[in-house]
Amino acid sequence: SAVISQKPSRDICQRGTSLTIQCQVDSQVTMMFWYRQQPGQSLTLIATANQGSEATYESGFVIDKFPISRPNLTFSTLTVSNMSPEDSSIYLCSVLGQKETQYFGPGTRLLVL
Amino acid sequence: SQKIEQNSEALNIQEGKTATLTCNYTNYSPAYLQWYRQDPGRGPVFLLLIRENEKEKRKERLKVTFDTTLKQSLFHITASQPADSATYLCALDMRIDTGRRALTFGSGTRLQVQP
């Protein structure tokens, strides 16, 4: 299994600002994912982040709004840019483990005022 | 694209009974299907994975079935306990749809086990 930590655990931000969320894994992993979970909803995949290549974004998500970095095999960041109240959500980092399972971080709870 | 439906938004049962949760998908049968548990304020935790060529998988009090003809998976918790109260998510891999090795999740069923 993989142990994943995220920073910050929660934040309250003003509209128009940006927030960078950090994800740290305790082991080297090839595939990392960023998900969003809006209140009362299920998880929606934002992008897949592989080390050494550009992140692959899902429909409805663009790099200008959600830039991602993946500098090494244990770390990634997701930035939520030019935030609006609609970006209020929980953002979850995930990694692909052995046997096709995914491990998730505790999430970052974001509130945009 | 693939759609996943978890029939019950919420399920209330008495302690000791068997909880049965349903997951239906609409399009292609995935190579595997997974079930996760999510507690409030936490990320999902992996429970079980079942492959398309497996009919049933068990782990302690948990049992998962996978019927590719019905396009359905059932998730059972036997001898349920109040500690089993959580939201349970069904997830399918996206590879056939998108080529990406990520999961697409159902909306979840919130299980409440009454003492």
Side-chain angles (χ1 to χ4, degrees):
Chain A
S1 65
V3 178
I4 303 170
S5 59
Q6 286 184 234
K7 288 183 185 178
S9 59
R10 59 178 64 226
D11 207 343
I12 301 173
C13 300
Q14 296 297 321
R15 69 170 66 211
T17 63
S18 297
L19 176 72
T20 295
I21 302 168
Q22 298 179 7
C23 175
Q24 181 75 52
V25 189
D26 69 341
S27 56
Q28 293 186 336
V29 292
T30 303
M31 302 193 73
M32 294 180 79
F33 310 96
W34 286 97
Y35 286 84
R36 181 172 75 181
Q37 187 172 31
Q38 295 185 304
Q41 306 285 320
S42 190
L43 287 79
T44 300
L45 181 66
I46 298 172
T48 303
N50 294 334
Q51 196 258 340
S53 62
E54 293 281 329
T56 303
Y57 289 83
E58 298 303 309
S59 175
F61 298 96
V62 295
I63 188 170
D64 290 345
K65 176 68 175 176
F66 297 102
I68 288 171
S69 79
R70 182 80 202 274
N72 57 51
L73 292 174
T74 62
F75 188 78
S76 178
T77 67
L78 170 76
T79 299
V80 187
S81 303
N82 189 23
M83 289 184 284
S84 67
E86 291 71 37
D87 295 319
S88 297
S89 189
I90 300 171
Y91 292 85
L92 293 146
C93 171
S94 174
V95 302
L96 184 66
Q98 293 182 352
K99 300 182 180 178
E100 307 296 342
T101 60
Q102 285 193 13
Y103 300 98
F104 286 84
T108 295
R109 190 179 296 268
L110 171 62
L111 177 63
V112 184
L113 303 177
Chain B
S1 61
Q2 185 75 278
K3 285 189 171 28
I4 305 170
E5 296 171 356
Q6 292 190 245
N7 292 16
S8 303
E9 192 175 308
L11 180 64
N12 292 303
I13 63 168
Q14 285 295 123
E15 182 176 6
K17 301 291 186 185
T18 295
T20 298
L21 286 64
T22 305
C23 174
N24 293 288
Y25 55 94
T26 56
N27 295 348
Y28 59 88
S29 283
Y32 54 83
L33 183 150
Q34 302 186 28
W35 284 88
Y36 287 76
R37 168 182 173 143
Q38 186 173 27
D39 291 283
R42 302 200 163 203
V45 174
F46 170 76
L47 294 175
L48 280 168
L49 178 152
I50 187 165
R51 300 190 183 278
E52 60 179 339
N53 61 348
E54 297 175 318
K55 297 293 184 196
E56 183 179 295
K57 183 78 71 78
R58 291 176 185 261
K59 178 182 174 183
E60 297 173 354
R61 294 185 295 112
L62 309 180
K63 184 178 87 170
V64 172
T65 62
F66 193 7
D67 189 325
T68 55
T69 302
L70 294 178
K71 297 186 177 180
Q72 182 181 81
S73 175
L74 298 179
F75 177 79
H76 307 272
I77 305 175
T78 58
S80 60
Q81 304 166 0
D84 295 326
S85 299
T87 296
Y88 291 86
L89 303 166
C90 166
L92 308 181
D93 83 289
M94 301 170 70
R95 257 175 294 187
I96 295 177
D97 231 359
T98 67
R100 285 189 277 289
R101 291 178 66 193
L103 295 173
T104 185
F105 284 83
S107 55
T109 297
R110 193 172 62 252
L111 174 67
Q112 186 70 41
V113 180
Q114 306 288 348

